[in-house]
Amino acid sequence: MKKKGLKMMTMFFLTFAVIIVGIFSVLMIKSGIFSTTQYLDPWKTTYSQQFKDIRVRLAAHGVLAANGHNMQPWIVRLDHKDANVFYLYADSNRLAPQVDPYARQTMVTQGAFLEYVKEAGDQIGFHTDIVLFPNGNYDEANLKESMDTKPVAKISLTKVEPINNELYPYIFLPDTNRGAYETTPLTKAQVNKLQDISDAKGVTLGIFQDEENLDRLGQYAMEGAKIESAVHRINEESANIFRANEYEKNKYRYGFSLEGEGITGLKKNVMQGMITMFPSINNEKASADLFEKSTQIAVEHTPTYAMIITKDNSRSNQVKAGMLYSRLILEAHNMGFVMQPPSQVLEEYPEMKEPYTKIHKEYAPGGKVIQMLVRMGKPTEVAQQTMRRDVMDLIKN
């Protein structure tokens, strides 16, 4: 009798184990754990070297730049008459109109791209002369059409001696780290060095480390997160570009994924499998709760905030702000710091009007505009690389 009972118990546990292994295997398959991560290829330091055209090689560095909502809204057109000239356009098909109704963040993104091109040019041995809006400013009443027909920048290259650009290696590091930071603030010398990188007229960089400003800016970050997480059309816009598994990430190569929330390793694959099989678990409330919780943890572990402020909201200054932002990211990495932009409070849709107006009144009066708000500190965890498009997808005739 005892042997029979023991045999039945053994069979039960074996069956249970088989079921668990089966479920786990299905989750891993649905997650795409065995797929190659083609969407990470552009992060390889050798990726750009496969392209003979130096313009494409430089654009391959630009595609790694920070960009709003990971939309990667860049188009590169090569000049067919001059092999040393190319043009950068904003991609009107890659806008996020709910969260960025005036395409301000899209313009900042263009500048981020240009600065990476410039830094890579210095390393490779090409001086980059960048002229913004060479064919004139956008017609704001016909913005999408203007984006399609008027370049953001003309980039002209001149062969020079390569330099050992100390910032170049940091192009290949993720630009955003959403984790908790150490309490270590920047030294006075580090603050001064960062403030010195702003050389564009009308674009300034402010750094805040005192307790009063840390508390105030943390409150703005939380308020912005709470407002945004409660706006259905914005959540819907974000959900439409969420990539649930490795198959989708390889297919689209832009948008949001679990890596962007700091979820990695086996946990990431289990969650990807679960979300793929049961999409309803990644519902609006769950996403909002996760966003608010992660923002709360972030502001509680932030020793420094920085702001990029422009004298006005011209398209040129938006682009210049993006160039400064990329430079700030690279300089921060060089010092051992990382960054994250909790910039929801700077977005211009109606629900955000009150805190947007208030933060500008306090920190950028007289018509100035805060283009970027970022938290900065020494990381406690390593950020993951996120999806990037193949540079050849950016090249258009």
Side-chain angles (χ1 to χ4, degrees):
M1 195 73 179
K2 288 183 179 180
K3 289 184 178 180
K4 184 177 180 181
L6 182 61
K7 184 177 180 181
M8 289 179 65
M9 186 175 294
T10 301
M11 288 298 295
F12 171 79
F13 282 114
L14 284 174
T15 302
F16 182 74
V18 169
I19 292 172
I20 293 298
V21 170
I23 292 173
F24 183 78
S25 299
V26 170
L27 288 176
M28 293 301 100
I29 292 170
K30 292 292 185 181
S31 172
I33 192 172
F34 303 113
S35 301
T36 57
T37 54
Q38 297 170 351
Y39 58 87
L40 295 181
D41 284 350
W43 290 101
K44 297 175 182 177
T45 57
T46 57
Y47 172 75
S48 67
Q49 297 172 14
Q50 64 185 293
F51 305 108
K52 293 182 179 180
D53 192 317
I54 191 63
R55 298 169 296 181
V56 179
R57 287 182 65 186
L58 293 179
H61 291 82
V63 79
L64 299 179
N67 62 97
H69 319 291
N70 201 22
M71 294 300 289
Q72 304 171 52
W74 305 300
I75 289 176
V76 172
R77 299 188 188 279
L78 307 179
D79 191 311
H80 296 299
K81 296 180 180 179
D82 190 336
N84 293 310
V85 173
F86 64 106
Y87 297 86
L88 176 66
Y89 289 75
D91 190 340
S92 67
N93 293 315
R94 291 180 174 274
L95 305 180
Q98 299 303 327
V99 76
D100 186 26
Y102 304 114
R104 179 188 59 81
Q105 295 177 61
T106 299
M107 290 298 105
V108 173
T109 291
Q110 305 305 307
F113 182 99
L114 290 170
E115 184 63 28
Y116 271 26
V117 166
K118 178 179 176 294
E119 298 294 338
D122 289 343
Q123 176 75 18
I124 295 172
F126 284 86
H127 172 74
T128 54
D129 179 59
I130 298 172
V131 177
L132 298 182
F133 297 99
N135 295 351
N137 293 320
Y138 289 155
D139 174 4
E140 296 295 336
N142 298 284
L143 185 56
K144 290 190 69 172
E145 182 180 329
S146 282
M147 287 181 173
D148 295 336
T149 57
K150 292 187 175 183
V152 172
K154 176 183 179 181
I155 304 99
S156 301
L157 306 177
T158 304
K159 187 76 174 75
V160 295
E161 284 296 317
I163 65 171
N164 184 21
N165 183 357
E166 67 176 1
L167 299 182
Y168 177 76
Y170 302 109
I171 287 176
F172 302 96
L173 295 183
D175 53 84
T176 301
N177 187 314
R178 292 180 171 83
Y181 299 162
E182 295 179 7
T183 58
T184 310
L186 277 68
T187 65
K188 184 176 181 180
Q190 289 171 329
V191 170
N192 291 339
K193 183 176 181 181
L194 289 181
Q195 289 179 325
D196 286 344
I197 69 175
S198 179
D199 57 2
K201 291 183 179 180
V203 185
T204 58
L205 175 66
I207 295 177
F208 307 90
Q209 301 190 111
D210 62 282
E211 187 174 344
E212 181 180 352
N213 278 304
L214 289 179
D215 182 62
R216 187 180 304 167
L217 293 172
Q219 289 181 32
Y220 276 122
M222 277 306 306
E223 186 174 5
K226 288 179 179 179
I227 291 173
E228 182 154 304
S229 64
V231 180
H232 173 69
R233 67 181 186 282
I234 291 177
N235 289 325
E236 195 171 42
E237 185 176 70
S238 297
N240 288 337
I241 57 171
F242 177 74
R243 313 310 177 197
N245 51 55
E246 300 303 300
Y247 309 113
E248 290 186 0
K249 283 184 274 187
N250 277 329
K251 178 180 178 180
Y252 296 105
R253 299 179 65 151
Y254 74 94
F256 298 133
S257 64
L258 292 178
E259 288 95 334
E261 299 299 326
I263 301 171
T264 60
L266 184 60
K267 181 180 179 181
K268 179 197 76 171
N269 286 295
V270 170
M271 289 186 67
Q272 285 187 164
M274 291 289 290
I275 292 170
T276 301
M277 293 178 67
F278 311 105
S280 61
I281 67 175
N282 189 36
N283 58 57
E284 191 167 322
K285 186 181 185 305
S287 297
D289 290 345
L290 178 61
F291 180 42
E292 289 185 33
K293 182 179 179 181
S294 64
T295 303
Q296 185 66 56
I297 293 172
V299 300
E300 290 174 354
H301 297 84
T302 297
T304 305
Y305 284 99
M307 280 185 187
I308 296 175
I309 300 174
T310 54
K311 68 176 183 179
D312 57 37
N313 210 18
S314 68
R315 294 299 187 184
S316 291
N317 277 338
Q318 291 169 359
V319 175
K320 290 176 184 177
M323 295 184 73
L324 177 57
Y325 182 49
S326 273
R327 180 82 179 185
L328 178 62
I329 290 169
L330 299 177
E331 290 283 4
H333 279 312
N334 195 27
M335 295 177 180
F337 292 89
V338 294
M339 295 173 16
Q340 178 207 353
S343 290
Q344 287 75 25
V345 71
L346 305 181
E347 293 166 348
E348 299 99 331
Y349 51 88
E351 292 85 348
M352 200 65 74
K353 183 177 180 180
E354 184 176 340
Y356 176 94
T357 301
K358 189 176 178 182
I359 194 173
H360 277 82
K361 185 177 180 180
E362 290 187 46
Y363 289 94
K368 296 177 182 177
V369 179
I370 308 170
Q371 301 291 348
M372 294 296 298
L373 169 65
V374 299
R375 54 187 288 262
M376 184 184 304
K378 287 188 175 293
T380 61
E381 56 189 60
V382 177
Q384 300 299 304
Q385 296 167 335
T386 53
M387 293 172 284
R388 284 300 187 272
R389 299 165 63 200
D390 190 305
V391 69
M392 293 309 298
D393 290 340
L394 274 62
I395 309 298
K396 308 293 183 183
N397 293 325

